[in-house]
Amino acid sequence: MMGGAYHCDFGGERHRFGSLAHVMACATPTRSGDALAGLAADSAAQRVAARAVLADLPLRHFLDVALVPYESDEVTRLIIDSHDAIAFAPLSAMTVGDLRDWLLRPETDSVALAQVAPGLIPEMVAAVSKLMRNQDLIIVAQKVRVVTAFRNTIGLAGRLSTRLQPNHPADDPRGIAAAVLDGLIHGVGDAVIGINPATDSVPGALRLIAMLDDLRERYAIPTQTCVLTHVTNSLEIIARGAPVDLVFQSIAGSEAANRGFGIDLAVLRAAHDAALSLGRGTVGQNVMYFETGQGAALSADAHHGIDQQTMEARAYGVARAFDPLLVNTVVGFIGPEYLYDGKEIIRAALEDHFCGKLLGLPMGCDACYTNHAEADQDDMDTLMTLLTVAGCSFLICVPGNDDVMLSYQSLSYHDALALRAMLGVRAAPEFEGWLDAMGLIAPDGSIRALADGAAGLVHRLNGTGIAA
């Protein structure tokens, strides 16, 4: 690097990059969103050259050169002002390439990774991910353990939690109830029973919250519920005295992109404080639930000329300021304009999971795609298996792989059963205890879906409205 420019000789050609953002974008694996934005590398040779430049950059460079100006962006200010210099000290003399090597060392264990997490900023972890193969992302993420809790404990070793997503195109209580029952008898729902409302209004959310909370209380289910309404609606709902467990919000990696969601850091702080004041958790008080996705900032024209994966990592800088219970990337939901096919979706999901966990977040994933993407359920089978091996905190499951309200494809309740059978992962311990009490666990710990336990649960729920 000389005079603010970055360059590398490769393949008999000198490659020049005009800014750090240019280096980061050109170093990124191929994806349609960066091509759409005019940020992608022109050639494979340019991509390799950018990675060579990136590998030699000191980690400190990312503290000195802000991709989005400090003065004009509150996300940048949050990232820089909350940086922990003491935690960063063991890494302070490293380059990005050195960091990659250190992360992959066998002696770099979960304790070491937890200690340095507050010293890493999103741009650093985005940079190192660009130097890593898929297997590298899996190996490192597998070593990171992030544990959160509310009514159960999420993220423990050997555990895979699931979000039960019983969406309905008309928010019909009976349709939602049927999907909830179906999920519970398959052992799904320990991360959260979370509904995306078809109509985002305070009265509608109040009805759904009351319904879910009545079910949870009546049968003492050790999980948390959430209606994924806008955070300002959640504030109003809390003010009305409704039983809110988790506050949800979609977030992005720049102030302008978050403004497009109708939020800023101040409203997130207010919601966090309001949810904490309710004191509804039993084994913990992590009360926030965030969703993100590569392409969100670009789709809002709020990406500042930065590649979509780096902008996604910056969203994690927002999330970790609020000690969330759950964070997940809705990896293929935004569409093929941003992640074109199964290969791009799988790579992006592994990047997001790696970056979030390295920053200390309880990362989950909606392993999903839209019907106009060049992807199918075989790709999701591959992705769900890789994420589980990588130690993903939770996955989202919908009835029959098909979300009929949001019109996209995700994982099914049966996919959760397949992962438990293949890889031996189990639900959160408190939720597993409830499943056992309800007769849904076989002696070997597997879920007895559609067996005697399921019939017993249906019998218990009859007459309550949930199984009517």
Side-chain angles (χ1 to χ4, degrees):
M1 182 182 68
M2 297 179 60
Y6 305 78
H7 59 83
C8 175
D9 294 326
F10 178 77
E13 181 181 358
R14 169 151 289 201
H15 297 268
R16 289 182 171 84
F17 306 93
S19 67
L20 180 56
H22 190 201
V23 174
M24 294 280 277
C26 289
T28 305
T30 303
R31 64 206 57 198
S32 55
D34 291 339
L36 176 68
L39 300 174
D42 295 332
S43 64
Q46 188 184 39
R47 184 172 294 109
V48 172
R51 289 175 181 173
V53 171
L54 199 56
D56 289 338
L57 280 182
L59 292 177
R60 285 188 176 277
H61 192 64
F62 295 93
L63 298 172
D64 298 332
V65 179
L67 294 177
V68 184
Y70 181 94
E71 297 76 15
S72 60
D73 186 85
E74 67 172 1
V75 173
T76 300
R77 293 194 292 274
L78 172 67
I79 290 167
I80 298 301
D81 294 349
S82 62
H83 178 248
D84 188 329
I86 295 174
F88 180 63
L91 310 177
S92 61
M94 291 186 182
T95 64
V96 177
D98 293 334
L99 177 61
R100 177 190 177 275
D101 293 343
W102 181 79
L103 291 171
L104 288 167
R105 289 176 187 166
E107 61 268 27
T108 302
D109 58 12
S110 60
V111 174
L113 292 168
Q115 288 173 342
V116 302
L120 293 169
I121 66 170
E123 290 84 350
M124 293 175 188
V125 300
V128 75
S129 75
K130 298 175 192 299
L131 304 183
M132 304 178 87
R133 293 171 56 186
N134 286 0
Q135 68 171 260
D136 299 336
L137 299 174
I138 294 168
I139 288 168
V140 175
Q142 188 182 66
K143 296 194 286 186
V144 180
R145 189 61 51 198
V146 181
V147 178
T148 56
F150 190 75
R151 286 198 192 90
N152 57 39
T153 309
I154 296 169
L156 295 169
R159 305 279 175 170
L160 173 69
S161 293
T162 49
R163 171 182 161 190
L164 199 170
Q165 183 169 298
N167 295 344
H168 191 279
D171 287 342
D172 177 65
R174 289 174 63 88
I176 291 170
V180 171
L181 174 60
D182 191 20
L184 289 173
I185 65 178
H186 286 85
V188 170
D190 55 329
V192 63
I193 302 175
I195 302 171
N196 298 91
T199 302
D200 195 15
S201 68
V202 169
L206 280 166
R207 286 192 296 272
L208 296 175
I209 287 170
M211 170 190 164
L212 291 179
D213 196 60
D214 178 65
L215 166 68
R216 184 195 59 76
E217 283 201 327
R218 190 180 295 250
Y219 293 98
I221 307 172
T223 190
Q224 33 285 331
T225 64
C226 184
V227 175
L228 281 67
T229 189
H230 192 269
V231 66
T232 53
N233 287 345
S234 294
L235 280 166
E236 173 64 22
I237 290 164
I238 291 171
R240 294 190 187 190
V244 173
D245 287 346
L246 305 182
V247 170
F248 167 83
Q249 185 54 49
S250 295
I251 57 173
S254 72
E255 179 178 343
N258 283 326
R259 195 182 306 125
F261 285 136
I263 63 167
D264 56 22
L265 297 180
V267 75
L268 293 178
R269 290 189 189 100
H272 182 241
D273 292 345
L276 279 177
S277 73
L278 300 179
R280 291 176 57 81
T282 55
V283 297
Q285 292 296 329
N286 299 110
V287 296
M288 301 298 283
Y289 177 17
F290 295 118
E291 282 192 338
T292 66
Q294 288 194 28
L298 175 57
S299 68
D301 194 24
H303 61 296
H304 297 273
I306 299 166
D307 69 273
Q308 64 184 37
Q309 189 259 334
T310 300
M311 290 302 295
E312 170 75 0
R314 282 172 54 90
Y316 305 151
V318 174
R320 73 172 172 178
F322 299 96
D323 298 319
L325 179 76
L326 307 168
V327 180
N328 71 258
T329 170
V330 285
V331 64
F333 181 75
I334 302 180
E337 299 84 358
Y338 305 95
L339 295 170
Y340 178 71
D341 58 14
K343 182 175 181 178
E344 291 188 10
I345 290 171
I346 290 168
R347 171 68 192 193
L350 294 176
E351 290 168 348
D352 294 350
H353 179 250
F354 164 88
C355 289
K357 287 187 77 176
L358 209 54
L359 290 168
L361 289 175
M363 282 302 296
C365 184
D366 192 349
C368 63
Y369 60 99
T370 58
N371 286 314
H372 60 310
E374 291 295 322
D376 58 26
Q377 218 60 43
D378 285 339
D379 294 315
M380 298 308 104
D381 286 350
T382 300
L383 178 54
M384 73 179 192
T385 306
L386 294 176
L387 285 170
T388 304
V389 172
C392 189
S393 290
F394 72 102
L395 296 170
I396 291 179
C397 298
V398 306
N401 300 108
D402 185 13
D403 191 306
V404 295
M405 193 278 283
L406 291 174
S407 297
Y408 79 115
Q409 309 302 307
S410 185
L411 302 182
S412 72
Y413 305 149
H414 292 85
D415 289 330
L417 292 181
L419 289 168
R420 298 196 194 289
M422 288 189 297
L423 300 173
V425 289
R426 302 170 75 147
E430 300 87 349
F431 190 78
E432 187 176 59
W434 179 82
L435 292 171
D436 186 35
M438 300 300 284
L440 288 167
I441 293 183
D444 64 357
S446 61
I447 301 296
R448 296 197 297 175
L450 306 181
D452 294 341
L457 181 57
V458 172
H459 176 74
R460 289 176 177 88
L461 296 181
N462 262 324
T464 69
I466 191 69

